Amino acid sequence: MYYPDLSGRRIERDRHPAGRPAATGGGQPKSIIKSPRFSLWLSRFPSCAPAMAASSLLRSLTRHARRGCAGTGAFSYYRHQQQQLWSPFSTSAAAAAAGARDEAARRGFPGLGPTAKGEKARVVVLGTGWAGSRLMKDLNTSACDVVCVAPRNHMVFTPLLASTCVGTLEFRSVAEPLARIQPAVSKSPGSYFLLARCTGVDPDAHTIDCETVTDGEKGALEPWKFKVAYDKLVFACGAEASTFGIHGVTEHAIFLREVHHAQEIRRRLLLNLMLSDVPGISEEEKRKLLHCVVVGGGPTGVEFSGELSDFILRDVKQRYSHVKDYINVTLIEANEILSSFDVRLRQYATNQLIKFLCVHRIGVDEWLRVPSVQDVYAIGDCSGFLESTGKDVLPALAQVAERQGKYLASLLNHVMKAGGGHANSETEADLGPPFVYKHLGSMATVGRYKALVDLRQSKESRGISIAGFVSFFIWRSAYLTRVISWRNRFYVAINWLTTLLFGRDISRI
Amino acid sequence: MYYPDLSGRRIERDRHPAGRPAATGGGQPKSIIKSPRFSLWLSRFPSCAPAMAASSLLRSLTRHARRGCAGTGAFSYYRHQQQQLWSPFSTSAAAAAAGARDEAARRGFPGLGPTAKGEKARVVVLGTGWAGSRLMKDLNTSACDVVCVAPRNHMVFTPLLASTCVGTLEFRSVAEPLARIQPAVSKSPGSYFLLARCTGVDPDAHTIDCETVTDGEKGALEPWKFKVAYDKLVFACGAEASTFGIHGVTEHAIFLREVHHAQEIRRRLLLNLMLSDVPGISEEEKRKLLHCVVVGGGPTGVEFSGELSDFILRDVKQRYSHVKDYINVTLIEANEILSSFDVRLRQYATNQLIKFLCVHRIGVDEWLRVPSVQDVYAIGDCSGFLESTGKDVLPALAQVAERQGKYLASLLNHVMKAGGGHANSETEADLGPPFVYKHLGSMATVGRYKALVDLRQSKESRGISIAGFVSFFIWRSAYLTRVISWRNRFYVAINWLTTLLFGRDISRI
């Protein structure tokens, strides 16, 4: 499994049968079960991917790299006009700056222009997942400005998302606004959070094309296009959820990657519970309404099934006692589920699961740089080591993304300090040691007060591998320390406490 | 202002100019301002109304009452088939009962059939607002079964709803599931919560027609029709929000009556704040995006404006410092706003505000019974005293609705005890004293740590009328004691504490 090199050379990659990505071992289900009124499609990975098309950006990047030269076509026009762009930092008079920006807007090229030598360098980060958030948290904003472009203004604690579907945790407790992770984006005059999608990259001009995201909200601003010049660009936009080419997934199932997915699952679950209580509904219809199908036996799928069974055992028995005997959960997995967790997790993670999500990824070197283009990095799910690095493929886990974000922040802070912050000024000498991933262990809850914790590097290595109440306690404590702000740590603890005391919340709002 | 009597007599009512309901004094705005990208339409009342059409039910009820006889047309067919209906309580064998219900379903008449003499009487309540929730909370379920039919499974603490729009409180904290208010609906074999709309009433047959509510959820059950027989029927379905006949309200404004309205306002507010931060947006467009128009200067409008100004003063200044100078709030009110609160609240409430919402109401007598039909009651916003009672018109306040619910619960408990629980068996002698409303005072927050509290019966009477921090404290404490469950009291307190410590939440989920 290799990744494309952007230098124009073709690199050997796994080939899949036409129209269907590689599947593990015994084969995937080819179409999703249609009879249940409600089924879930879970990514196997606690993934940080926002709804952004890394693949299209990659195509844009590749096109530029292959062309091998800039300044042609539409881009030459843009470059020609570039000096007209307003740079918010080129003058201290805010009014004049606003006027200049309006002027730029009228000319059809609104945006943030390139930074000048004396100003802070600008790091543009695409995405607010685990990787991007950790990177922005650690960036030294006294040495550089941060501009984040993403379609959502918060990070989601994906490992706790399954708990929100059944009301163990509140949705709000697992979402952290970026402005709290990196306050500079709302306070510092040169740092911004921009609610937009990145639609293209011009690596020669060191600019990206953006378009605002309005979710089709009626009466909102029409989609607005603008450009942002960067000194350093970081792809942290995650991977798109894979359907493994199975028909019907998009129409009939719900993914579990964003807070609104969890909300949809909760609303549907409560709706079906109430509908099945209506007089005259047949036995068969009841069983259909209350049959939950979870696809994917990875950590997320297993954790969700565990939460669901807790919900049924405790809350449904009490609150929907008329229909409690009709509810069923089916977990579908083409290979082995997490029962193999504590004996060969690492092998499982590295050898099998990864195969799915790493197609469409951006190749990076040991310093997480995208080769052939200057000042561009990629971290998290959207990135993968190039074959030339000789490094292992890393699993699409929150742990990997967060570690890469942390590493890149220290690398960029180092580069800024060494004077290589501005566009095209970075030298090899500025870089520190390359990125090395060390697996710290894996965890999954499998039901009430039970979790599997594997703190070993591999099945051969020494370490801790435990199950049961102690591991449940470790799991909860570990996540509490991962949750970034004190406010959310506090809320998660309060949610757990109230769930323990009063049961889960069943309002359908 | 009088209400229709269902006996068939025409009763004198206020006449409005064609196509436009009565307006107070100087006239209402005739069309809503279209320039702001986001405007709010607030009911002047903390209202308990769910999205249910009391007026159409009333029409159905009136039609039957006027006809003066039953057993004709479609209803005779239903009555003829009535004995085929499955009553879940007529046999102890659950399997046989389920079979009978299926059989009934196949014949096209699913539902809950009439109760037999030896069984508990069935009280059917339409709505889960302040009135209905309080009624169900206090009903003695060892003496009767409760069946609630409503399109939402929770009660909303409407007086705190404005706080959720800007993140002072979480949405979950102001919604209380009915199953917690009255646990019998989920535990007792004869009590149910049914997620459905009531579409018609047959007072002679003592049945209601229902249809399930699925919100157009894809893949959910098709709308399912069924009937429920009642011994006592209580209308507590609130009033529809009035647009005062003003054009554009439905298309351009957001009401504030349900949790999803508050969610929509919060999403829109955060979206516009972020959009206005995008490079190149003109000054004019920014001001448009950040101009919030609140229509209605009653308690809800004033409280929302207060919350919004707190949000701007504290959170927007910190979190959206780039655009803080562009945000504006305009409060529109055709008459006087709440500045007149502490000198003539009661007059204001009883003489002016009421005029709007009371048209389309169901007339009731002193015991809250709907005349001319047996065993039917109406409480809350959807009800109003008949002229013949000689009683004052009551304002559409949470306070009134809650008190009526409490009163009717004690009346019904009394009737059950006296043996008048079953259909057509109630006598005048079973009723206790009539309902008397005593105004306990009014409160409204007007910004950070400030509230107006008026504990006087009328402006002439003696009592407490205070403003400032002390009243703010009384206001918060008073609402904390109104919130029904300990879980939600706890959450509201925790929300206020975290807002104080960390500011409001700004994730747009």
Side-chain angles (χ1 to χ4, degrees):
Chain A
M1 169 100 11
Y2 312 133
Y3 299 107
D5 183 315
L6 298 178
S7 60
R9 285 184 293 122
R10 287 181 69 88
I11 293 185
E12 215 32 59
R13 300 180 61 187
D14 280 5
R15 298 265 162 213
H16 314 306
R20 188 166 158 247
T24 54
Q28 287 286 321
K30 279 190 190 154
S31 71
I32 197 145
I33 295 167
K34 281 182 185 165
S35 74
R37 297 226 170 253
F38 147 60
S39 54
L40 309 172
W41 185 264
L42 301 170
S43 156
R44 294 173 191 243
F45 308 97
S47 161
C48 63
M52 194 187 286
S55 53
S56 69
L57 289 181
L58 180 63
R59 276 196 298 277
S60 142
L61 209 58
T62 315
R63 195 180 64 229
H64 283 285
R66 289 216 175 128
R67 210 168 48 213
C69 66
T72 59
F75 282 89
S76 70
Y77 182 47
Y78 173 65
R79 284 166 64 82
H80 176 66
Q81 298 277 343
Q82 216 174 61
Q83 48 274 33
Q84 302 287 350
L85 282 181
W86 173 71
S87 163
F89 325 115
S90 58
T91 167
S92 59
R101 178 146 66 160
D102 285 354
E103 177 62 27
R106 265 193 297 278
R107 282 165 182 270
F109 291 105
L112 299 175
T115 58
K117 269 291 169 212
E119 298 164 349
K120 284 195 224 174
R122 184 186 303 144
V123 180
V124 175
V125 181
L126 309 182
T128 53
W130 278 93
S133 298
R134 183 57 199 245
L135 165 71
M136 288 184 274
K137 184 177 192 239
D138 287 2
L139 271 183
N140 177 8
T141 50
S142 65
C144 64
D145 285 321
V146 180
V147 174
C148 177
V149 177
R152 67 171 196 215
N153 78 338
H154 56 276
M155 179 203 167
V156 178
F157 303 111
T158 41
L160 293 179
L161 202 54
S163 297
T164 65
C165 300
V166 293
T168 310
L169 292 179
E170 296 309 327
F171 300 115
R172 200 55 56 160
S173 307
V174 302
E176 183 74 25
L178 179 67
R180 285 186 196 280
I181 295 171
Q182 179 48 273
V185 297
S186 57
K187 286 178 184 164
S188 170
S191 293
Y192 290 91
F193 168 79
L194 304 175
L195 190 78
R197 275 193 187 87
C198 175
T199 55
V201 181
D202 184 339
D204 304 304
H206 269 58
T207 58
I208 58 168
D209 300 305
C210 303
E211 190 175 299
T212 55
V213 174
T214 51
D215 304 339
E217 193 105 42
K218 64 172 181 177
L221 198 67
E222 293 296 302
W224 176 263
K225 289 182 174 151
F226 59 94
K227 285 175 190 283
V228 176
Y230 61 84
D231 290 310
K232 308 284 174 198
L233 175 66
V234 181
F235 284 92
C237 43
E240 277 180 63
S242 171
T243 61
F244 310 123
I246 300 170
H247 298 299
V249 170
T250 318
E251 296 84 359
H252 301 286
I254 308 167
F255 284 86
L256 181 56
R257 297 162 69 89
E258 300 281 344
V259 174
H260 65 86
H261 294 148
Q263 285 173 322
E264 200 180 339
I265 292 171
R266 182 141 142 194
R267 281 182 64 82
R268 177 65 69 90
L269 192 61
L270 290 171
L271 176 68
N272 283 12
L273 275 165
M274 287 187 281
L275 284 180
S276 60
D277 215 2
V278 163
I281 297 287
S282 73
E283 297 259 317
E284 189 198 344
E285 191 63 48
K286 258 186 209 186
R287 289 191 197 283
K288 257 194 196 175
L289 281 167
L290 297 178
H291 186 194
C292 307
V293 178
V294 181
V295 186
T300 307
V302 170
E303 284 193 7
F304 179 79
S305 307
E307 284 283 352
L308 207 54
S309 76
D310 272 8
F311 177 64
I312 294 164
L313 285 174
R314 181 172 173 185
D315 302 82
V316 173
K317 283 234 150 102
Q318 273 186 26
R319 310 271 167 212
Y320 297 94
S321 59
H322 302 113
V323 295
K324 65 179 191 297
D325 301 328
Y326 297 94
I327 193 162
N328 272 301
V329 180
T330 303
L331 178 63
I332 297 180
E333 164 60 55
N335 295 287
E336 290 165 89
I337 66 154
L338 223 54
S339 59
S340 62
F341 191 83
D342 58 346
V343 286
R344 42 183 184 153
L345 163 92
R346 197 164 155 65
Q347 180 193 343
Y348 182 70
T350 53
N351 297 349
Q352 297 176 16
L353 294 184
I354 299 156
K355 288 185 190 166
F356 294 119
L357 275 192
C358 55
V359 293
H360 306 328
R361 287 201 183 192
I362 302 169
V364 292
D365 68 11
E366 297 97 319
W367 290 271
L368 309 180
R369 294 180 301 180
V370 179
S372 312
V373 287
Q374 189 78 358
D375 297 319
V376 180
Y377 305 81
I379 52 179
D381 283 8
C382 70
S383 72
F385 281 124
L386 287 164
E387 192 200 3
S388 57
T389 62
K391 293 224 177 200
D392 268 0
V393 172
L394 295 176
L397 294 172
Q399 196 179 150
V400 174
E402 194 213 4
R403 221 76 63 71
Q404 289 185 333
K406 190 181 170 183
Y407 166 82
L408 189 59
S410 77
L411 183 146
L412 287 177
N413 287 339
H414 185 76
V415 167
M416 300 290 161
K417 214 171 161 186
H422 283 279
N424 301 311
S425 65
E426 182 183 313
T427 61
E428 287 287 331
D430 297 339
L431 303 169
F435 176 73
V436 178
Y437 177 68
K438 199 170 162 234
H439 189 70
L440 287 185
S442 301
M443 293 174 287
T445 42
V446 288
R448 198 165 172 69
Y449 305 129
K450 278 181 196 142
L452 303 172
V453 177
D454 187 350
L455 301 179
R456 299 173 307 166
Q457 281 277 314
S458 72
K459 69 169 179 169
E460 291 78 22
S461 62
R462 296 159 63 90
I464 305 167
S465 169
I466 45 180
F469 185 77
V470 174
S471 60
F472 171 81
F473 198 79
I474 293 176
W475 180 85
R476 298 237 142 163
S477 313
Y479 277 127
L480 265 189
T481 59
R482 296 294 276 279
V483 170
I484 289 179
S485 76
W486 279 105
R487 181 186 159 283
N488 271 6
R489 277 181 219 180
F490 177 70
Y491 263 113
V492 169
I494 290 286
N495 285 166
W496 279 337
L497 180 71
T498 48
T499 296
L500 199 70
L501 293 178
F502 305 105
R504 290 170 179 80
D505 188 86
I506 54 159
S507 310
R508 183 169 177 272
I509 59 173
Chain B
M1 169 100 11
Y2 312 131
Y3 299 108
D5 184 315
L6 298 177
S7 60
R9 284 185 294 122
R10 286 180 71 86
I11 293 185
E12 217 29 60
R13 299 179 62 186
D14 281 3
R15 298 267 161 210
H16 314 306
R20 188 165 157 247
T24 54
Q28 287 287 321
K30 279 192 186 149
S31 71
I32 197 147
I33 294 167
K34 281 181 186 164
S35 73
R37 296 226 170 253
F38 149 59
S39 53
L40 310 171
W41 186 263
L42 301 170
S43 156
R44 293 173 192 241
F45 308 98
S47 161
C48 64
M52 194 187 285
S55 54
S56 69
L57 290 181
L58 180 64
R59 276 196 297 277
S60 140
L61 209 58
T62 313
R63 195 179 64 229
H64 284 284
R66 291 217 173 126
R67 209 167 49 214
C69 68
T72 58
F75 282 88
S76 70
Y77 181 48
Y78 172 65
R79 284 166 63 83
H80 175 68
Q81 298 277 343
Q82 215 175 63
Q83 48 274 33
Q84 302 286 350
L85 282 183
W86 175 70
S87 164
F89 326 112
S90 58
T91 168
S92 59
R101 178 145 68 160
D102 285 355
E103 178 61 26
R106 264 193 297 278
R107 282 165 183 271
F109 291 104
L112 299 176
T115 59
K117 270 289 167 210
E119 297 165 350
K120 283 196 225 176
R122 185 185 302 143
V123 179
V124 175
V125 182
L126 309 182
T128 53
W130 278 94
S133 299
R134 183 58 200 245
L135 166 71
M136 287 184 275
K137 184 177 191 240
D138 287 2
L139 272 182
N140 175 10
T141 51
S142 65
C144 64
D145 286 320
V146 179
V147 174
C148 178
V149 177
R152 68 170 196 215
N153 77 339
H154 56 277
M155 180 203 166
V156 178
F157 303 113
T158 43
L160 293 178
L161 202 53
S163 298
T164 64
C165 300
V166 293
T168 310
L169 291 178
E170 297 309 327
F171 301 115
R172 199 57 55 161
S173 306
V174 302
E176 183 73 26
L178 180 66
R180 285 187 196 280
I181 296 171
Q182 179 47 275
V185 297
S186 57
K187 286 178 185 164
S188 169
S191 293
Y192 290 90
F193 169 78
L194 304 174
L195 190 79
R197 274 193 188 86
C198 174
T199 56
V201 181
D202 184 341
D204 304 303
H206 270 57
T207 57
I208 59 168
D209 300 305
C210 305
E211 189 175 301
T212 55
V213 174
T214 52
D215 304 338
E217 194 104 42
K218 64 174 182 179
L221 199 67
E222 293 297 302
W224 175 264
K225 289 183 174 147
F226 59 95
K227 285 175 190 282
V228 176
Y230 62 82
D231 289 309
K232 308 285 174 196
L233 175 66
V234 182
F235 284 91
C237 44
E240 277 179 63
S242 171
T243 61
F244 309 123
I246 300 169
H247 298 300
V249 170
T250 318
E251 296 82 0
H252 301 285
I254 307 167
F255 284 86
L256 181 57
R257 298 163 69 90
E258 300 280 345
V259 174
H260 66 85
H261 293 149
Q263 285 173 323
E264 199 180 340
I265 292 171
R266 180 142 144 194
R267 281 181 64 82
R268 177 65 70 90
L269 192 60
L270 290 171
L271 176 69
N272 283 12
L273 275 165
M274 288 187 282
L275 284 179
S276 60
D277 215 3
V278 162
I281 297 286
S282 72
E283 297 259 316
E284 189 200 342
E285 191 63 49
K286 256 185 211 186
R287 289 191 198 281
K288 257 194 197 174
L289 281 167
L290 298 177
H291 186 195
C292 307
V293 178
V294 181
V295 186
T300 308
V302 171
E303 284 193 7
F304 179 79
S305 307
E307 285 283 353
L308 207 55
S309 77
D310 272 7
F311 177 64
I312 294 164
L313 285 173
R314 180 172 175 185
D315 302 81
V316 173
K317 283 233 149 105
Q318 274 187 25
R319 310 275 167 211
Y320 298 93
S321 59
H322 303 113
V323 295
K324 67 178 190 297
D325 300 328
Y326 297 94
I327 193 162
N328 272 303
V329 180
T330 304
L331 177 63
I332 297 181
E333 164 61 54
N335 295 287
E336 290 166 89
I337 66 154
L338 222 52
S339 59
S340 63
F341 192 83
D342 58 344
V343 285
R344 44 183 183 153
L345 164 92
R346 197 162 156 67
Q347 181 193 343
Y348 181 71
T350 52
N351 297 348
Q352 296 176 15
L353 294 183
I354 299 155
K355 288 186 187 164
F356 294 120
L357 275 192
C358 55
V359 295
H360 304 328
R361 286 202 183 191
I362 302 169
V364 291
D365 67 10
E366 296 97 318
W367 291 270
L368 309 180
R369 294 179 301 179
V370 179
S372 311
V373 287
Q374 189 78 0
D375 297 318
V376 180
Y377 305 81
I379 51 178
D381 283 8
C382 71
S383 72
F385 282 125
L386 287 165
E387 192 200 2
S388 56
T389 62
K391 294 225 177 199
D392 267 0
V393 172
L394 296 175
L397 293 171
Q399 197 180 147
V400 174
E402 194 212 4
R403 221 76 62 71
Q404 290 186 331
K406 191 182 169 184
Y407 166 82
L408 189 58
S410 77
L411 183 146
L412 287 176
N413 286 339
H414 184 77
V415 167
M416 300 289 162
K417 214 172 162 187
H422 283 280
N424 300 312
S425 65
E426 182 183 312
T427 61
E428 288 287 329
D430 296 340
L431 303 169
F435 175 72
V436 178
Y437 177 67
K438 201 173 160 229
H439 189 69
L440 287 185
S442 301
M443 295 175 287
T445 42
V446 288
R448 198 164 172 71
Y449 304 132
K450 278 182 195 138
L452 303 172
V453 176
D454 187 351
L455 301 179
R456 300 174 304 166
Q457 282 277 314
S458 71
K459 69 168 177 167
E460 291 77 24
S461 62
R462 296 160 63 90
I464 306 166
S465 168
I466 42 180
F469 185 78
V470 174
S471 60
F472 171 82
F473 198 81
I474 293 176
W475 180 84
R476 298 238 140 160
S477 312
Y479 277 127
L480 264 189
T481 59
R482 296 294 275 278
V483 170
I484 289 178
S485 75
W486 279 104
R487 180 186 160 281
N488 271 5
R489 278 181 219 182
F490 178 70
Y491 262 113
V492 168
I494 290 287
N495 285 166
W496 279 337
L497 181 71
T498 47
T499 296
L500 198 69
L501 294 178
F502 305 105
R504 290 172 178 79
D505 188 88
I506 54 160
S507 310
R508 183 170 176 272
I509 58 173

